Amino acid sequence: MNTRALHPLDETLMHQVPWPFGFAGTSDPRFYDRYWFAGVDPAGDAGFISGMALYKNIGVCDGYGAVQRGGRQFNSRWSRPLTTATAQSAVGDLAVEILEPYRTVAGRVVR
């Protein structure tokens, strides 16, 4: 990624450091932003876990999903280069959309 490249969010008032929005405020390669979701059937028969992370300093977006039901577990993992799509919360078949910040989130598996 070009260190001088601007991102559409650079036009907003959301900055926390004096760098373009597409870059982390630290050089630590382990820095990430992550979504994490989980749910369990109250009867204990089924459950899921899913998440997505942007690793801005290594240029990767990763996602995963796992469903457990009837003693069996099914897993999926996805990965893509981050490039300039830092505001795109989608990787592989997994997408997360913020419908109403801090209130409503829609996660979906796209097939």
Side-chain angles (χ1 to χ4, degrees):
M1 183 184 299
N2 180 344
T3 59
R4 296 181 188 268
L6 294 179
H7 185 276
L9 290 175
D10 286 320
E11 196 67 42
T12 69
L13 298 174
M14 299 178 64
H15 291 281
Q16 296 182 25
V17 295
W19 298 348
F21 200 85
F23 296 88
T26 177
S27 61
D28 186 343
R30 298 168 295 182
F31 173 80
Y32 61 85
D33 278 331
R34 179 175 290 162
Y35 289 128
W36 183 79
F37 304 98
V40 177
D41 172 21
D45 294 331
F48 80 93
I49 185 170
S50 184
M52 180 185 309
L54 295 182
Y55 298 89
K56 290 182 179 181
N57 290 335
I58 59 174
V60 173
C61 178
D62 286 335
Y64 63 92
V67 174
Q68 181 272 327
R69 184 170 182 186
R72 298 192 63 195
Q73 182 170 318
F74 305 90
N75 304 303
S76 291
R77 294 184 178 270
W78 304 278
S79 187
R80 69 171 169 87
L82 193 52
T83 62
T84 58
T86 56
Q88 180 185 357
S89 298
V91 59
D93 294 330
L94 181 63
V96 176
E97 182 181 3
I98 307 301
L99 301 174
E100 187 178 359
Y102 304 108
R103 295 188 187 272
T104 309
V105 175
R108 65 185 189 280
V109 175
V110 182
R111 292 190 185 234

